[in-house]
C-alpha cells in the first residue's frame, strides 16, 4: 500500500505542472486592472495572473524569465493595447513560443478595441517620442472606458471559449452594473475638481481629466517618454504661474524631485497617484483604484 502510494506520487510529479489545473482557462494579463476585470468576467472558470504588479511604469515593465513560462502555458493573453506594453510584451510573446496567443491569434485579447482613443498622432515623427504611437493608451484611468475594456474581455474570452459565452456575458453585465453605480457616485464626489487645472509628469491622466471635468494643462515630460530639459521646466513653471495651476500630479513610478520642484515653484499642491491597480496598497481592485485617485485629488483640491 505504501509502495503504491509512493509510485502514484512519483507519477504525479512527472506530469506537466499545469495538468491538475487543465480544466481552468489559463489567463495572463499585462496589468492588474485587467486581471481584476477578467476575474469578474470569468469567475471560477479561469486562473488569472498579471505580469505587472501595478507599481511599474507600463511602458517599462522589467522582463523576467518566469513571465515567458507563464505565457507559454496561457490560453489567452489580455492587454491594454495601443502599444502601451510595447517595451515588454512583444519580446515575452516571442520567448513564450505559444501560437495560441500570438498577435494574430484568437488568444490575443486587446482590451482597447471598443475604446475611443485620444491624442492619436496626425503624423509619424520620431521626434514626437515613441511611447504613444497609436494615441494615448492610458484608458484604464477612465472608468467609462473601463466598461468598454470589460466588454472587450468578455467578447475575447467568448471567442476563445464559446461554450462559456453566456457566463462571461452575464458576469460582465453584472460587473458593468456595479461600475455604473460607482461612476454615478464618482461624478458626484469629483464635483470639487471641475475646472481645476492639472500638470502631471506623464500624460496618463487625460482620460480621467476629461471624464471628471478637469483640465490637463501640461506635463513635466517634454513628450511621452522624453525627459524634460531645463528650459521646458522653466517655461512650464512660468505658464503655470500665469494660469494659476493648482495641482501637480506625480504618478508614483516617476521621480519625485522634479515634481516637487515644480509644485514648490508654482505654489501648486503635489499629489501622488497610482497609474494602475496595485500602485498603492489601498488600490487593490479596479473600483478601489478609481476611488483612491478621486479621493486623493478631491482632498488636495479642497485643501485637505
Ligand atoms: Zn504613457
Amino acid at each position: 500500500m505504501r509502495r503504491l502510494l509512493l509510485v502514484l506520487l512519483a507519477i504525479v510529479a512527472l506530469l506537466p505542472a499545469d495538468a491538475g489545473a487543465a480544466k481552468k482557462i489559463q489567463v495572463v494579463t499585462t496589468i492588474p486592472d485587467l486581471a481584476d476585470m477578467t476575474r469578474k468576467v470569468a469567475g471560477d472558470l479561469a486562473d488569472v495572473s498579471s505580469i505587472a504588479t501595478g507599481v511599474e511604469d507600463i511602458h517599462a515593465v522589467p522582463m523576467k524569465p518566469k513571465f515567458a513560462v507563464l505565457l507559454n502555458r496561457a490560453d489567452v493573453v489580455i492587454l491594454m493595447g495601443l502599444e502601451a506594453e510595447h517595451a515588454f510584451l512583444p519580446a515575452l510573446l516571442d520567448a513564450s513560443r505559444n501560437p495560441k496567443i500570438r498577435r494574430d491569434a484568437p488568444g490575443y485579447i486587446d482590451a482597447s478595441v471598443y475604446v475611443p482613443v485620444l491624442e492619436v498622432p496626425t503624423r509619424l515623427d520620431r521626434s514626437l517620442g515613441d511611447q504613444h504611437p497609436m494615441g494615448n493608451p492610458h484608458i484604464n484611468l477612465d472608468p467609462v472606458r473601463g466598461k468598454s475594456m470589460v466588454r472587450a474581455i468578455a467578447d475575447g474570452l467568448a471567442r476563445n471559449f464559446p461554450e462559456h459565452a453566456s457566463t462571461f456575458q452575464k458576469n460582465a453585465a453584472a460587473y458593468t452594473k456595479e461600475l455604473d453605480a460607482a461612476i454615478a457616485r464618482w461624478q458626484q464626489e469629483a464635483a470639487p475638481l471641475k475646472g481645476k487645472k492639472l500638470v502631471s509628469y506623464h500624460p496618463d491622466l487625460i482620460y480621467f481629466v476629461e471624464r471628471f471635468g478637469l483640465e490637463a494643462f501640461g506635463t513635466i515630460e517634454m513628450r511621452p517618454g522624453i525627459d524634460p530639459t531645463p528650459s521646458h521646466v522653466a517655461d512650464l513653471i512660468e505658464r503655470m504661474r500665469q494660469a494659476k495651476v493648482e495641482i501637480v500630479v506625480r504618478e508614483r513610478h516617476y521621480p519625485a524631485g522634479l515634481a516637487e520642484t515644480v509644485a514648490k515653484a508654482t505654489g501648486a499642491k503635489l499629489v501622488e497617484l497610482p497609474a494602475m491597480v496595485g500602485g498603492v496598497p489601498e488600490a487593490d481592485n479596479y473600483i478601489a483604484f478609481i476611488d483612491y485617485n478621486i479621493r486623493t485629488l478631491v482632498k488636495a483640491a479642497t485643501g485637505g
Side-chain angles (χ1 to χ4, degrees):
M1 190 68 196
R2 198 191 156 124
R3 207 185 143 86
L4 179 64
L5 189 65
L6 285 173
V7 170
L8 279 175
L9 283 173
I11 290 170
V12 170
L14 287 171
L15 288 172
D18 62 347
K23 290 226 168 64
K24 288 210 180 192
I25 301 165
Q26 300 298 304
V27 181
V28 177
T29 69
T30 53
I31 65 170
D33 309 51
L34 297 167
D36 182 42
M37 291 170 179
T38 305
R39 287 187 189 108
K40 294 286 194 311
V41 170
D44 290 341
L45 293 170
D47 278 332
V48 185
S49 31
S50 171
I51 292 174
T53 63
V55 299
E56 305 90 337
D57 173 0
I58 192 169
H59 300 305
V61 176
M63 286 190 273
K64 295 176 187 164
K66 69 172 182 185
F67 298 148
V69 175
L70 208 55
L71 288 166
N72 173 263
R73 294 173 185 163
D75 295 307
V76 298
V77 62
I78 302 178
L79 59 145
M80 281 252 279
L82 300 167
E83 303 294 323
E85 296 99 338
H86 70 110
F88 63 101
L89 191 61
L92 285 174
L93 288 179
D94 274 353
S96 77
R97 297 171 180 276
N98 181 348
K100 285 194 280 189
I101 56 169
R102 275 202 315 246
R103 196 169 187 142
D104 54 355
Y108 183 94
I109 300 175
D110 181 337
S112 73
V113 287
Y114 301 134
V115 169
V117 180
L118 298 178
E119 295 180 345
V120 178
T122 49
R123 65 196 172 102
L124 285 174
D125 181 344
R126 287 176 69 85
S127 71
L128 293 177
D130 61 2
Q131 284 190 335
H132 295 173
M134 308 286 288
N136 193 303
H138 299 282
I139 53 178
N140 59 319
L141 277 290
D142 169 17
V144 173
R145 282 176 174 80
K147 290 195 298 175
S148 301
M149 294 162 72
V150 169
R151 183 154 74 90
I153 292 169
D155 288 356
L157 288 172
R159 182 175 71 218
N160 285 273
F161 302 95
E163 67 275 27
H164 299 305
S166 62
T167 304
F168 299 143
Q169 300 303 347
K170 189 181 69 160
N171 291 347
Y175 183 49
T176 300
K177 213 172 149 191
E178 206 182 317
L179 280 170
D180 275 330
I183 289 164
R185 172 169 61 81
W186 288 325
Q187 289 290 3
Q188 290 190 342
E189 289 173 2
L193 299 176
K194 288 256 168 4
K196 298 276 183 195
K197 297 186 182 86
L198 165 158
V199 160
S200 55
Y201 199 95
H202 179 81
D204 41 19
L205 283 160
I206 62 152
Y207 295 108
F208 179 94
V209 155
E210 187 199 52
R211 181 64 55 205
F212 295 108
L214 295 90
E215 185 189 324
F217 184 80
T219 59
I220 293 176
E221 278 185 331
M222 296 270 285
R223 295 188 179 285
I226 309 293
D227 287 338
T229 58
S231 70
H232 168 76
V233 174
D235 177 60
L236 178 68
I237 288 172
E238 184 52 38
R239 289 189 302 114
M240 284 174 69
R241 281 180 181 146
Q242 282 170 12
K244 299 187 170 29
V245 174
E246 292 173 64
I247 301 168
V248 171
V249 172
R250 177 179 74 89
E251 304 83 341
R252 296 179 67 101
H253 52 282
Y254 286 107
L258 207 45
E260 275 165 17
T261 304
V262 171
K264 224 170 244 166
T266 58
K269 264 257 168 68
L270 179 62
V271 182
E272 296 180 347
L273 296 181
M276 293 183 237
V277 170
V280 291
E282 300 96 309
D284 60 355
N285 64 68
Y286 187 63
I287 288 178
F289 164 62
I290 304 290
D291 259 334
Y292 182 91
N293 283 356
I294 289 182
R295 211 170 48 231
T296 308
L297 276 170
V298 167
K299 199 174 157 199
T302 55

